[in-house]
Amino acid sequence: RSDNLISQLKTMLINRSANDIGCPNGILIEPKVTSSTFDFSNPKAQIDSGYAATKRQIEIIKNRIPRRIDPTQLADKRKKFIIKEHPLLFGDIYITGLKKNQSRYVKGVLHKKGETIPLEKFKPAYFRLVEDDKIKQIYPKAKFNEKNGNYDLFLKMKKEKDIVAQVGGDVSNRPISEIFASFEYKYLGSIGISAMANGYFGKLYSSAQAKVRVDFPFTVPFYVEPEITFNSWNFYKSSNLFFEDVKPAYLIQSDQHAYLNVAMPISNKDKLEISGGVASTIDDYYQTTNFTQKDTADRTTFDFATGQIHYERNTLNRKQYATQGTLISFKARYINGDEENIPGSTSTIKTTTQTMRQWTQYKFVLDNYYKQKGTLRMGVYAEGVYSNQPLFSNYTSSILASPAFQPLTESLTLFQPNFRAHTYFAFGLKNIITFRNRIDLRIEGYVYQPYQQIEQNPDNTASYSAPFLRRYLIGSAALVGHTPIGPISVSVNYYYQEIQPFSFLFHFGYILFNKKATD
């Protein structure tokens, strides 16, 4: 079967390939390809290798082909041949392998409403169809129709399985390992529907999410996606402090949110999403390291409504440890809610307070891998947040509610007050050396500049520092191997002015999480 990978591998292994040249004047061209048979991560390097190998043999090829044509005559013949070509206009589309209502969905994506479609207009819609997760295979074939002078398009298609289950996770030297499981049901009719549920289970992070996405293949396609998510972060259990006189901070964060997302493509690489809904965050913490099992933690809850508009252009080649492409993201969000602060047994404040909070927030991210010299690729990273977010009732609740700068994979698993602020800008450079297309040496450095740092007062309330008072550095050196089931990474990381400025991280698998309520 054409879609049976095991059967294809078996055929390739059992049937011996003959590399003998059949004719006496034949020439064997052998490119110096270092990648494996199933390595499709860098096709340009493989093509260039074949081109270079052919150029090395070009004089031998010329000597064995005695016929010569004047370049001017050759150009003239090509021109006459091209003139005879019919313009590539697609007329009728014939679809096999799908039901009638499923074929209507395909024609809706292709914008087919009876008129002819030129190739340039057809290509973006076709690529969108190829990327549709409800379509498994497409075999296109164009045939010229002499009656109307157009091309008939024949699409042999296969629908993706109705039910898809996935299991994964991450194994690490730190207590941040987790297990991931997801279940998805895909329906393809005159509209497309995907219903998905997933769960994360670990010491640091636990989560459950359910969402339904409905795709409408109109002239301007869009999708509607309601989602509900529950997240929990335990920075106390996942702490990795080894100093005898330093206790990890007791911090447990949880949030739950129900959002409705509506998105449409601006191009094949750009998306505009508008979302809104309600959410609640719950933070449990001690504002001191001197606590016992009998003590009760402070609790801050924040119930809010929010709306957001998000533009994103993403051409990165990987969802983690990318080496090619560009990510551009801009978000504008409005938040309005009620903060309730319930003091614990160790708090200096004994009364419960309730305060209305509202603010707007703007966030920009640029992650661009822009230049390659041999095995070296360079990249640049920039991130900025501007917000008029107010301070919360105390220092810890203010820090927990603030945006965080987390450029490294390990940063996603850490609670670092120095790298949280309401308004900040950060810039970074990346150098990546690739070995055999599957192993990367990544050297990264970042400068983080908060506009005003959130500082702790003697009574545990929060206040702002002077503008641009401090800045912080992050550095990382990582060796990353890319396997079919996820990355395997060993890294040494540096965080300026942290209790443990240097850290070592090993992990196998993706360190990914569901979105937080304020992401």
Side-chain angles (χ1 to χ4, degrees), residues 403-423:
F405 176 59
Q406 300 171 311
L408 303 181
T409 302
E410 186 190 42
S411 300
L412 300 171
T413 69
L414 301 175
F415 174 73
Q416 298 174 305
N418 288 337
F419 294 93
R420 289 174 176 251
H422 293 161
T423 299

Side-chain angles (χ1 to χ4, degrees), residues 302 336-339 354-358 390:
F302 184 53
N336 189 326
D338 178 34
E339 178 208 356
Q354 276 191 303
T355 311
M356 294 298 297
R357 310 288 189 188
Q358 62 176 329

Side-chain angles (χ1 to χ4, degrees), residues 282-300:
I282 302 174
D283 299 331
D284 293 311
Y285 53 90
Y286 289 109
Q287 299 187 66
T288 176
T289 57
N290 298 318
F291 57 86
T292 67
Q293 291 183 344
K294 295 181 180 180
D295 287 318
T296 58
D298 292 28
R299 168 168 286 193
T300 297

Side-chain angles (χ1 to χ4, degrees), residues 291-360:
F291 57 86
T292 67
Q293 291 183 344
K294 295 181 180 180
D295 287 318
T296 58
D298 292 28
R299 168 168 286 193
T300 297
T301 63
F302 184 53
D303 302 322
F304 62 95
T306 182
Q308 174 181 268
I309 184 168
H310 179 204
Y311 164 81
E312 182 181 82
R313 177 182 178 86
N314 191 345
T315 63
L316 297 179
N317 62 333
R318 297 188 180 101
K319 54 188 172 184
Q320 203 160 68
Y321 298 117
T323 57
Q324 298 177 33
T326 301
L327 168 67
I328 300 174
S329 172
F330 176 77
K331 296 179 183 179
R333 176 188 286 272
Y334 172 73
I335 293 175
N336 189 326
D338 178 34
E339 178 208 356
E340 181 181 42
N341 183 59
I342 304 173
S345 59
T346 63
S347 177
T348 57
I349 303 173
K350 300 301 180 181
T351 57
T352 298
T353 60
Q354 276 191 303
T355 311
M356 294 298 297
R357 310 288 189 188
Q358 62 176 329
W359 69 88
T360 54

Side-chain angles (χ1 to χ4, degrees), residues 34 42 58 106 112 119 136 147-148 185 200 220 239 253 255 289 298 335 366 415 428 436 439 464 477 504:
T34 59
N42 194 359
I58 196 67
V106 171
K112 186 67 179 83
L119 178 62
K136 184 173 184 178
K147 292 183 179 180
N148 55 32
Y185 172 75
Y200 291 82
V220 179
S239 175
Q253 283 190 292
D255 72 61
T289 57
D298 292 28
I335 293 175
L366 169 66
F415 174 73
R436 300 180 66 86
I439 301 176
Y464 289 117
F504 171 79

